[in-house]
Amino acid sequence: MSHAVVLGGTGLIGRAAARRLLARGWEVTVAGRDSSRMPEDIVVAGGRFVAGDRGEPGSLAAALGAGADLVVDCLCFTAAHARDLLPLLDDVGSTVMISSKAVYVDAAGNHVNSAAAPVFDGPIHESQPTMSPREDIDYRTRDGYGANKVAAEHVLLDSGYPVTVLRPSKVHGEGAAKPGEWVFVKRVADRREVLLLSRGGRGVDQPSAAGNIAALIETAAGKPGRRVLNTADPDAPDALGISRIVANHLGHRWEEVLLDDHAPTGLGRHPWDRLPGIRLDMSAAGRLGYLPVGDYATTVTAELDWLGSADRLPAGFDHDHFAPMFDYAAEDAYLAER
């Protein structure tokens, strides 16, 4: 039986990968810091949890044990993280590192975390220029995240080991830390009768279902090699389309007010507010034999059901990240004057 080790296996992508591989007959070891975050269904399916903190000496070696056919690294954020992994890869058949579309830059050097929004000429191919690799800046900062990811990619791809780097877009799935869909789910729960959307709801930031990422992980594991692959859903609905998918699934109807550029600043904000839109080219994954498990509307339903069950959401879930998107007082004042 093939054996996979998923580093950061209790996170969104790690859980999806563990479930996918277990369903395909793999033996799966999930490495994480907190056993309480190990989903019961993964345990029932045969998943084994190994406690460990990546920053602790010997933690990675303990997780890998005698080796593995596949290592999925969901927690590789820096070149140092990548270098810590290298000595263990002699006994690994294939490695998949989760990177991000945040590494890409446009012709002006702007990226998705820049103060100025990037402008990409069509879907982003893996050959698109990236940020310069850096190790001298905190990866938890807006300018540091992508640059550190690039540095980590270089360490692994230059190692000679069969490493596949996956660059997802806007990841969604049950248990997401910052699920963009919450801006619509909460409005349904609050029985809002009107939905305001900036820029006419035309913004696009292509989603990546955790389940689709897991399917590409399995595909890459079956064909070890050194490569970079985008990973995103087969479709890229705009914000208006996403809002309708959410409302329809939750059985809610509202009046749609599609704001133009003359609307007050800040009204109708949402996580897909990007024009020009951001889309990823998925042709390279397709050539490898990858098949998505479903489109956005199909794959987002589990997350929507989770978000719609308030008793299942963790404490502090609705944090400051979303606060500017729920200014109901400003919305009501605008509607009253309209």
Side-chain angles (χ1 to χ4, degrees), residues 37-77:
R37 297 189 61 201
M38 178 79 158
E40 183 63 26
D41 67 295
I42 293 180
V43 176
V44 171
R48 183 174 71 95
F49 179 83
V50 174
D53 187 324
R54 191 182 195 119
E56 296 177 357
S59 178
L60 290 179
L64 265 68
D69 299 286
L70 169 67
V71 168
V72 182
D73 195 344
C74 303
L75 295 176
C76 190
F77 297 103

Side-chain angles (χ1 to χ4, degrees), residues 90-299:
D90 282 337
D91 297 318
V92 173
S94 179
T95 300
V96 175
M97 175 221 172
I98 304 301
S99 187
S100 170
K101 74 156 186 268
V103 304
Y104 292 120
V105 294
D106 66 6
N110 294 318
H111 49 87
V112 295
N113 291 321
S114 296
V119 177
F120 295 107
D121 184 18
I124 302 171
H125 189 270
E126 289 88 349
S127 60
Q128 179 76 22
T130 67
M131 301 176 71
S132 297
R134 293 186 63 178
E135 300 185 50
D136 61 334
I137 185 171
D138 192 332
Y139 75 88
R140 292 162 293 192
T141 62
R142 293 180 65 85
D143 285 328
Y145 181 75
N148 276 276
K149 280 286 192 182
V150 173
E153 290 182 2
H154 285 193
V155 169
L156 291 173
L157 292 171
D158 293 344
S159 69
Y161 291 109
V163 175
T164 298
V165 170
L166 298 187
R167 294 173 176 166
S169 184
K170 204 170 193 65
V171 183
H172 64 93
E174 180 182 354
K178 294 180 181 178
E181 292 76 13
W182 180 241
V183 300
F184 302 133
V185 174
K186 178 172 169 56
R187 281 181 162 78
V188 171
D190 293 338
R191 312 310 297 172
R192 297 292 290 178
E193 297 179 351
V194 181
L195 173 68
L196 282 66
L197 288 175
S198 62
R199 307 198 217 194
R202 294 176 290 115
V204 172
D205 194 351
Q206 188 166 3
S208 298
N212 282 331
I213 298 170
L216 184 51
I217 289 172
E218 183 192 17
T219 300
K223 299 179 179 179
R226 280 188 295 161
R227 60 176 79 92
V228 176
L229 297 174
N230 288 330
T231 175
D233 293 347
D235 57 334
D238 61 16
L240 177 59
I242 289 173
S243 72
R244 290 174 174 175
I245 289 169
V246 174
N248 180 67
H249 183 73
L250 298 178
H252 186 73
R253 302 189 70 174
W254 44 37
E255 176 190 351
E256 298 165 350
V257 176
L258 306 182
L259 303 172
D260 58 24
D261 292 338
H262 300 293
T265 301
L267 273 186
R269 290 183 58 182
H270 55 80
W272 297 271
D273 195 10
R274 290 192 178 274
L275 282 178
I278 295 180
R279 298 171 175 84
L280 299 186
D281 186 303
M282 286 294 294
S283 57
R287 289 193 296 271
L288 194 65
Y290 160 73
L291 293 174
V293 298
D295 62 8
Y296 174 78
T298 301
T299 56

